[in-house]
Amino acid sequence: MPWYLKVEQMDRIYFDNAATTSLDPLVLEAMMPYLTEKFGNPSSIYSYGREGRLAIETARKSVAKILNAHPAEIFFTSGGTESSNTAINSAVNDLGCGHIITSSIEHHATLHTVEYLASRNKIKLSYMKLLPDGHVDLDDLRLLLSSSPEKALVTLMHANNEIGNILDINAAGNICKEFGAIFHSDTVQTVGHFPFDLRNTPVHFITGAGHKFHGPKGVGILYINENVKISPFIHGGGQERNMRAGTENLYGIVGFAKALELATANYEKDRVYISGLKQYMMGQLSEKVPGIEFNGDPEGRSLYTVLSVSFPKTEKSEMMLFNLDIHHICASGGSACTSGADQGSHVIRAINNNPNQVTVRFSFSKHNTREQVDTVINILNEIA
Ligand SMILES: Cc1ncc(COP(=O)(O)O)c(C=O)c1O
Protein backbone atom coordinates (compact mmCIF):
# COMPACT_ATOMS: atom_id res chain seq x y z
CA MET A 1 0.00 0.00 0.00
CA PRO A 2 1.45 3.45 -0.88
CA TRP A 3 2.55 5.63 2.04
CA TYR A 4 -0.17 8.23 1.60
CA LEU A 5 -2.97 5.64 1.82
CA LYS A 6 -1.32 4.13 4.89
CA VAL A 7 -1.15 7.52 6.55
CA GLU A 8 -4.72 8.50 5.73
CA GLN A 9 -6.54 5.22 6.15
CA MET A 10 -4.87 3.03 8.69
CA ASP A 11 -4.96 3.31 12.42
CA ARG A 12 -5.17 7.06 12.92
CA ILE A 13 -8.06 9.45 12.38
CA TYR A 14 -6.56 12.77 11.46
CA PHE A 15 -8.93 15.63 12.31
CA ASP A 16 -6.30 18.35 12.63
CA ASN A 17 -6.06 19.66 9.08
CA ALA A 18 -6.01 23.31 10.18
CA ALA A 19 -2.67 22.55 11.85
CA THR A 20 -1.25 20.92 8.76
CA THR A 21 -2.29 18.58 5.94
CA SER A 22 -0.76 15.49 4.40
CA LEU A 23 1.34 16.00 1.29
CA ASP A 24 -0.55 15.20 -1.91
CA PRO A 25 1.34 12.45 -3.83
CA LEU A 26 0.97 14.50 -7.04
CA VAL A 27 2.69 17.39 -5.28
CA LEU A 28 5.54 15.11 -4.21
CA GLU A 29 5.79 13.86 -7.78
CA ALA A 30 6.12 17.44 -9.07
CA MET A 31 8.77 18.18 -6.42
CA MET A 32 10.87 15.04 -6.87
CA PRO A 33 12.94 16.11 -9.90
CA TYR A 34 14.07 19.19 -7.94
CA LEU A 35 15.11 17.03 -5.00
CA THR A 36 17.10 14.74 -7.27
CA GLU A 37 18.46 15.38 -10.73
CA LYS A 38 17.46 19.05 -11.10
CA PHE A 39 19.50 20.16 -8.12
CA GLY A 40 21.14 23.26 -9.61
CA ASN A 41 21.23 26.60 -7.84
CA PRO A 42 18.60 28.80 -9.53
CA SER A 43 21.10 31.68 -9.51
CA SER A 44 23.69 29.75 -11.57
CA ILE A 45 23.88 30.78 -15.20
CA TYR A 46 24.44 27.32 -16.72
CA SER A 47 21.64 24.95 -17.68
CA TYR A 48 21.16 23.34 -14.23
CA GLY A 49 20.62 26.78 -12.75
CA ARG A 50 18.42 28.01 -15.59
CA GLU A 51 16.13 25.00 -15.12
CA GLY A 52 15.62 25.92 -11.49
CA ARG A 53 15.05 29.60 -12.28
CA LEU A 54 12.45 28.65 -14.89
CA ALA A 55 10.67 26.39 -12.38
CA ILE A 56 10.48 29.22 -9.83
CA GLU A 57 9.20 31.79 -12.30
CA THR A 58 6.68 29.31 -13.72
CA ALA A 59 5.46 28.62 -10.17
CA ARG A 60 5.19 32.36 -9.48
CA LYS A 61 3.15 32.93 -12.64
CA SER A 62 0.84 30.06 -11.81
CA VAL A 63 0.26 31.25 -8.22
CA ALA A 64 -0.31 34.83 -9.42
CA LYS A 65 -2.81 33.70 -12.05
CA ILE A 66 -4.80 31.66 -9.52
CA LEU A 67 -4.95 34.56 -7.07
CA ASN A 68 -5.57 37.09 -9.89
CA ALA A 69 -2.44 39.03 -9.02
CA HIS A 70 0.61 40.11 -11.00
CA PRO A 71 3.63 37.74 -10.76
CA ALA A 72 5.73 40.67 -9.49
CA GLU A 73 3.40 40.89 -6.48
CA ILE A 74 4.16 37.32 -5.31
CA PHE A 75 7.20 36.65 -3.09
CA PHE A 76 8.08 33.15 -1.93
CA THR A 77 8.88 32.89 1.78
CA SER A 78 9.31 30.18 4.41
CA GLY A 79 5.61 30.27 5.35
CA GLY A 80 2.83 32.20 7.01
CA THR A 81 4.85 33.38 10.00
CA GLU A 82 7.62 34.95 7.96
CA SER A 83 5.12 36.54 5.57
CA SER A 84 3.12 38.19 8.36
CA ASN A 85 6.26 39.33 10.20
CA THR A 86 7.52 40.92 6.97
CA ALA A 87 4.26 42.67 6.15
CA ILE A 88 3.86 44.09 9.65
CA ASN A 89 7.47 45.20 10.07
CA SER A 90 7.53 46.76 6.59
CA ALA A 91 4.35 48.70 7.26
CA VAL A 92 6.00 50.20 10.34
CA ASN A 93 9.54 50.68 9.04
CA ASP A 94 8.89 51.58 5.40
CA LEU A 95 5.32 52.81 5.13
CA GLY A 96 5.21 55.08 8.16
CA CYS A 97 2.53 53.27 10.18
CA GLY A 98 2.73 54.39 13.80
CA HIS A 99 -0.52 52.80 14.93
CA ILE A 100 -1.47 49.12 14.56
CA ILE A 101 -5.07 48.04 14.84
CA THR A 102 -5.71 44.32 15.23
CA SER A 103 -7.84 41.89 17.25
CA SER A 104 -7.00 39.78 20.28
CA ILE A 105 -7.84 36.57 18.39
CA GLU A 106 -5.19 36.79 15.66
CA HIS A 107 -2.63 34.04 15.18
CA HIS A 108 0.52 34.45 17.27
CA ALA A 109 2.49 35.18 14.09
CA THR A 110 0.64 38.49 14.12
CA LEU A 111 -0.01 39.04 17.83
CA HIS A 112 3.52 38.43 19.03
CA THR A 113 4.91 40.63 16.25
CA VAL A 114 2.70 43.62 17.05
CA GLU A 115 3.19 43.15 20.81
CA TYR A 116 6.95 43.18 20.29
CA LEU A 117 6.76 46.40 18.27
CA ALA A 118 4.56 47.97 20.96
CA SER A 119 6.96 46.87 23.72
CA ARG A 120 9.75 48.70 21.86
CA ASN A 121 7.58 51.83 21.68
CA LYS A 122 7.63 51.67 17.90
CA ILE A 123 3.85 51.75 17.58
CA LYS A 124 0.63 52.43 19.40
CA LEU A 125 -1.42 49.22 19.57
CA SER A 126 -5.22 49.00 19.55
CA TYR A 127 -7.41 45.91 19.75
CA MET A 128 -10.79 45.94 18.06
CA LYS A 129 -13.96 44.90 19.84
CA LEU A 130 -15.29 41.41 19.19
CA LEU A 131 -18.94 40.57 18.62
CA PRO A 132 -20.54 37.74 20.67
CA ASP A 133 -20.13 35.28 17.76
CA GLY A 134 -16.38 35.97 17.58
CA HIS A 135 -16.45 38.21 14.49
CA VAL A 136 -14.51 41.46 14.70
CA ASP A 137 -16.64 44.57 15.03
CA LEU A 138 -16.10 46.57 11.84
CA ASP A 139 -17.94 49.59 13.30
CA ASP A 140 -15.24 49.67 15.95
CA LEU A 141 -12.59 49.56 13.21
CA ARG A 142 -14.15 52.66 11.66
CA LEU A 143 -14.20 54.36 15.06
CA LEU A 144 -10.56 53.52 15.80
CA LEU A 145 -9.42 54.68 12.37
CA SER A 146 -11.43 57.90 12.49
CA SER A 147 -9.78 58.86 15.77
CA SER A 148 -6.24 57.89 14.73
CA PRO A 149 -4.08 60.90 13.98
CA GLU A 150 -1.28 58.57 12.88
CA LYS A 151 -1.16 56.45 9.74
CA ALA A 152 -2.47 53.02 10.72
CA LEU A 153 -1.77 49.42 9.79
CA VAL A 154 -4.83 47.22 10.16
CA THR A 155 -3.96 43.55 10.49
CA LEU A 156 -6.89 41.12 10.59
CA MET A 157 -6.92 37.46 9.68
CA HIS A 158 -9.17 36.35 6.84
CA ALA A 159 -10.19 33.19 8.70
CA ASN A 160 -9.54 32.28 12.28
CA ASN A 161 -7.61 29.01 12.57
CA GLU A 162 -9.24 28.05 15.89
CA ILE A 163 -12.92 28.91 15.51
CA GLY A 164 -13.13 29.22 11.72
CA ASN A 165 -14.79 32.67 11.56
CA ILE A 166 -14.28 34.40 8.21
CA LEU A 167 -13.76 38.15 7.91
CA ASP A 168 -15.49 40.13 5.18
CA ILE A 169 -12.14 41.09 3.69
CA ASN A 170 -13.68 43.51 1.17
CA ALA A 171 -15.66 45.36 3.83
CA ALA A 172 -12.61 45.63 6.12
CA GLY A 173 -10.38 46.68 3.22
CA ASN A 174 -12.81 49.35 2.07
CA ILE A 175 -12.90 50.90 5.54
CA CYS A 176 -9.08 50.93 5.57
CA LYS A 177 -9.07 52.56 2.14
CA GLU A 178 -11.43 55.28 3.31
CA PHE A 179 -8.97 56.26 6.05
CA GLY A 180 -5.75 55.74 4.06
CA ALA A 181 -4.71 52.81 6.27
CA ILE A 182 -2.48 49.92 5.20
CA PHE A 183 -4.33 46.59 5.34
CA HIS A 184 -2.66 43.22 5.95
CA SER A 185 -4.67 40.03 6.14
CA ASP A 186 -3.33 36.67 7.35
CA THR A 187 -4.95 34.43 4.74
CA VAL A 188 -3.09 31.26 5.73
CA GLN A 189 -6.32 29.34 6.37
CA THR A 190 -8.04 30.51 3.17
CA VAL A 191 -5.40 30.44 0.40
CA GLY A 192 -5.90 27.02 -1.21
CA HIS A 193 -9.40 26.77 0.27
CA PHE A 194 -11.25 29.70 -1.32
CA PRO A 195 -10.99 31.57 -4.63
CA PHE A 196 -9.11 34.89 -4.51
CA ASP A 197 -9.39 37.89 -6.80
CA LEU A 198 -6.59 40.12 -5.56
CA ARG A 199 -6.81 42.67 -8.35
CA ASN A 200 -10.26 43.52 -7.05
CA THR A 201 -9.64 43.15 -3.31
CA PRO A 202 -8.66 46.23 -1.30
CA VAL A 203 -5.71 44.67 0.53
CA HIS A 204 -1.99 45.54 0.59
CA PHE A 205 -0.53 42.30 1.97
CA ILE A 206 -1.79 38.72 2.18
CA THR A 207 -0.02 35.50 3.20
CA GLY A 208 -0.15 31.79 2.41
CA ALA A 209 1.45 28.54 3.63
CA GLY A 210 1.77 25.45 1.44
CA HIS A 211 1.26 22.91 4.21
CA LYS A 212 -2.32 24.04 4.86
CA PHE A 213 -3.55 22.69 1.49
CA HIS A 214 -1.63 19.45 0.92
CA GLY A 215 1.60 21.17 -0.10
CA PRO A 216 5.01 21.04 1.59
CA LYS A 217 5.95 22.67 4.89
CA GLY A 218 8.43 25.52 5.10
CA VAL A 219 7.21 27.39 2.03
CA GLY A 220 4.70 30.18 1.70
CA ILE A 221 3.93 33.39 -0.09
CA LEU A 222 3.67 37.05 0.70
CA TYR A 223 1.55 39.07 -1.72
CA ILE A 224 2.55 42.72 -1.79
CA ASN A 225 0.27 44.97 -3.81
CA GLU A 226 2.18 46.61 -6.67
CA ASN A 227 1.46 50.11 -5.31
CA VAL A 228 3.28 49.33 -2.06
CA LYS A 229 7.02 49.87 -2.04
CA ILE A 230 8.99 48.34 0.81
CA SER A 231 12.69 47.73 1.35
CA PRO A 232 14.33 44.28 1.25
CA PHE A 233 13.36 42.00 4.12
CA ILE A 234 16.41 39.74 4.11
CA HIS A 235 19.71 41.16 2.90
CA GLY A 236 22.27 39.21 0.90
CA GLY A 237 21.98 37.88 -2.64
CA GLY A 238 19.60 39.09 -5.30
CA GLN A 239 16.93 36.40 -4.95
CA GLU A 240 13.22 37.27 -5.06
CA ARG A 241 14.01 40.43 -7.02
CA ASN A 242 16.45 41.63 -4.36
CA MET A 243 13.78 41.51 -1.66
CA ARG A 244 14.47 38.21 0.13
CA ALA A 245 18.03 37.01 -0.14
CA GLY A 246 19.07 33.36 0.15
CA THR A 247 19.05 30.36 -2.18
CA GLU A 248 15.44 29.56 -2.92
CA ASN A 249 13.51 26.58 -1.55
CA LEU A 250 13.22 25.34 -5.12
CA TYR A 251 11.34 22.07 -4.55
CA GLY A 252 9.15 23.77 -1.93
CA ILE A 253 8.19 26.52 -4.35
CA VAL A 254 7.39 23.97 -7.07
CA GLY A 255 5.32 22.02 -4.52
CA PHE A 256 3.48 25.14 -3.33
CA ALA A 257 2.38 26.01 -6.86
CA LYS A 258 1.36 22.43 -7.66
CA ALA A 259 -0.66 22.13 -4.44
CA LEU A 260 -2.43 25.42 -5.17
CA GLU A 261 -3.17 24.30 -8.74
CA LEU A 262 -4.68 21.03 -7.49
CA ALA A 263 -6.67 22.75 -4.73
CA THR A 264 -8.05 25.24 -7.24
CA ALA A 265 -8.96 22.59 -9.82
CA ASN A 266 -10.88 20.59 -7.19
CA TYR A 267 -12.12 23.50 -5.11
CA GLU A 268 -15.87 23.16 -5.64
CA LYS A 269 -15.89 19.37 -5.22
CA ASP A 270 -13.73 19.45 -2.09
CA ARG A 271 -15.64 22.34 -0.54
CA VAL A 272 -18.98 20.58 -0.95
CA TYR A 273 -17.61 17.29 0.39
CA ILE A 274 -15.80 18.78 3.40
CA SER A 275 -18.73 21.12 4.25
CA GLY A 276 -20.91 18.00 4.29
CA LEU A 277 -18.59 16.32 6.81
CA LYS A 278 -18.62 19.39 9.07
CA GLN A 279 -22.42 19.60 8.91
CA TYR A 280 -22.69 15.88 9.61
CA MET A 281 -20.40 16.13 12.63
CA MET A 282 -22.34 19.11 13.98
CA GLY A 283 -25.59 17.20 13.63
CA GLN A 284 -24.23 14.05 15.25
CA LEU A 285 -22.64 15.95 18.11
CA SER A 286 -25.83 17.88 18.85
CA GLU A 287 -27.84 14.68 18.79
CA LYS A 288 -25.53 12.35 20.67
CA VAL A 289 -23.26 14.27 23.00
CA PRO A 290 -25.12 16.18 25.72
CA GLY A 291 -24.19 19.71 26.75
CA ILE A 292 -21.92 20.66 23.86
CA GLU A 293 -21.63 24.14 22.35
CA PHE A 294 -20.09 25.26 19.08
CA ASN A 295 -17.75 28.24 19.12
CA GLY A 296 -17.75 31.06 16.59
CA ASP A 297 -20.21 31.23 13.74
CA PRO A 298 -20.09 27.66 12.38
CA GLU A 299 -23.21 27.94 10.25
CA GLY A 300 -22.54 31.48 9.07
CA ARG A 301 -19.31 33.04 7.79
CA SER A 302 -17.03 30.15 8.69
CA LEU A 303 -14.35 27.89 7.26
CA TYR A 304 -15.84 24.63 5.99
CA THR A 305 -12.76 22.89 7.34
CA VAL A 306 -12.94 23.91 11.03
CA LEU A 307 -15.33 23.01 13.85
CA SER A 308 -14.64 24.23 17.38
CA VAL A 309 -16.61 22.43 20.08
CA SER A 310 -16.84 23.06 23.82
CA PHE A 311 -17.72 20.13 26.10
CA PRO A 312 -18.86 20.32 29.70
CA LYS A 313 -15.84 19.92 31.97
CA THR A 314 -15.67 16.57 33.77
CA GLU A 315 -12.76 14.57 35.10
CA LYS A 316 -12.72 12.59 31.85
CA SER A 317 -13.31 15.47 29.44
CA GLU A 318 -10.52 17.51 31.05
CA MET A 319 -8.19 14.92 29.55
CA MET A 320 -10.07 15.04 26.24
CA LEU A 321 -7.13 15.42 23.86
CA PHE A 322 -5.15 12.80 25.73
CA ASN A 323 -8.11 10.40 25.64
CA LEU A 324 -8.65 11.05 21.93
CA ASP A 325 -4.97 10.40 21.32
CA ILE A 326 -5.23 7.04 23.10
CA HIS A 327 -7.89 6.17 20.53
CA HIS A 328 -5.58 7.35 17.71
CA ILE A 329 -7.65 10.45 17.01
CA CYS A 330 -5.69 13.59 16.22
CA ALA A 331 -7.43 16.83 17.14
CA SER A 332 -6.31 20.03 18.70
CA GLY A 333 -7.09 22.07 21.81
CA GLY A 334 -6.59 25.27 19.91
CA SER A 335 -3.84 26.44 17.64
CA ALA A 336 -1.33 23.68 16.89
CA CYS A 337 1.34 26.31 17.05
CA THR A 338 0.84 26.57 20.81
CA SER A 339 0.60 22.87 21.59
CA GLY A 340 2.86 22.14 24.53
CA ALA A 341 2.06 25.50 26.13
CA ASP A 342 -0.31 25.00 29.04
CA GLN A 343 -2.06 28.35 28.86
CA GLY A 344 -4.92 27.17 26.68
CA SER A 345 -6.15 29.05 23.70
CA HIS A 346 -6.09 32.87 23.69
CA VAL A 347 -8.88 32.77 21.11
CA ILE A 348 -11.24 30.66 23.22
CA ARG A 349 -10.40 32.77 26.25
CA ALA A 350 -11.31 35.93 24.34
CA ILE A 351 -14.66 34.71 23.03
CA ASN A 352 -15.88 32.20 25.58
CA ASN A 353 -14.04 32.33 28.85
CA ASN A 354 -16.00 29.57 30.54
CA PRO A 355 -13.82 27.64 33.03
CA ASN A 356 -16.38 24.83 33.10
CA GLN A 357 -15.83 23.87 29.48
CA VAL A 358 -13.18 22.01 27.53
CA THR A 359 -12.67 23.05 23.90
CA VAL A 360 -11.51 20.88 21.02
CA ARG A 361 -10.95 21.93 17.42
CA PHE A 362 -11.75 19.34 14.76
CA SER A 363 -10.54 20.25 11.29
CA PHE A 364 -11.24 18.26 8.16
CA SER A 365 -9.79 17.49 4.76
CA LYS A 366 -10.94 15.67 1.62
CA HIS A 367 -9.41 12.47 3.04
CA ASN A 368 -11.78 12.29 6.02
CA THR A 369 -14.97 10.23 5.90
CA ARG A 370 -18.36 10.01 7.62
CA GLU A 371 -17.28 6.66 9.09
CA GLN A 372 -14.42 8.47 10.81
CA VAL A 373 -16.88 11.05 12.15
CA ASP A 374 -19.04 8.20 13.52
CA THR A 375 -16.04 6.62 15.24
CA VAL A 376 -15.05 9.94 16.79
CA ILE A 377 -18.60 10.64 17.97
CA ASN A 378 -18.80 7.25 19.69
CA ILE A 379 -15.53 7.85 21.50
CA LEU A 380 -16.51 11.43 22.41
CA ASN A 381 -19.71 10.12 23.83
CA GLU A 382 -17.75 7.79 26.09
CA ILE A 383 -15.33 10.52 27.16
CA ALA A 384 -17.86 13.32 27.58
C1 LIG B 1 -3.89 31.60 10.61
C2 LIG B 1 -2.46 31.19 10.61
N1 LIG B 1 -1.50 32.12 10.42
C3 LIG B 1 -0.22 31.79 10.41
C4 LIG B 1 0.21 30.50 10.60
C5 LIG B 1 1.66 30.19 10.57
O1 LIG B 1 2.02 29.62 9.35
P1 LIG B 1 3.42 28.83 9.20
O2 LIG B 1 3.33 27.64 10.06
O3 LIG B 1 3.49 28.51 7.73
O4 LIG B 1 4.50 29.76 9.59
C6 LIG B 1 -0.74 29.49 10.82
C7 LIG B 1 -0.33 28.09 11.09
O5 LIG B 1 -0.80 27.47 12.00
C8 LIG B 1 -2.12 29.85 10.82
O6 LIG B 1 -3.07 28.94 11.01
Side-chain angles (χ1 to χ4, degrees), residues 273-301:
Y273 177 74
I274 301 168
S275 301
L277 280 181
K278 174 174 165 176
Q279 288 300 325
Y280 180 66
M281 181 142 185
M282 283 178 74
Q284 292 294 301
L285 276 167
S286 304
E287 206 178 291
K288 299 192 173 150
V289 186
I292 55 120
E293 276 175 27
F294 299 114
N295 296 302
D297 184 19
E299 286 181 292
R301 275 190 286 119

Side-chain angles (χ1 to χ4, degrees), residues 300-378:
R301 275 190 286 119
S302 181
L303 287 171
Y304 53 87
T305 45
V306 168
L307 181 60
S308 171
V309 189
S310 290
F311 298 85
K313 196 182 251 181
T314 62
E315 228 168 79
K316 261 181 154 182
S317 76
E318 260 191 298
M319 302 286 285
M320 181 76 86
L321 289 179
F322 178 72
N323 282 321
L324 288 172
D325 186 30
I326 288 176
H327 291 92
H328 308 292
I329 295 162
C330 310
S332 169
S335 170
C337 313
T338 58
S339 61
D342 54 8
Q343 282 210 322
S345 151
H346 65 288
V347 177
I348 301 302
R349 250 181 291 138
I351 61 155
N352 171 18
N353 200 5
N354 183 343
N356 299 317
Q357 287 184 327
V358 173
T359 300
V360 181
R361 175 188 72 182
F362 301 97
S363 50
F364 312 102
S365 83
K366 59 186 175 183
H367 299 303
N368 295 128
T369 62
R370 282 190 176 215
E371 291 69 39
Q372 291 181 329
V373 172
D374 290 337
T375 306
V376 172
I377 296 282
N378 285 338

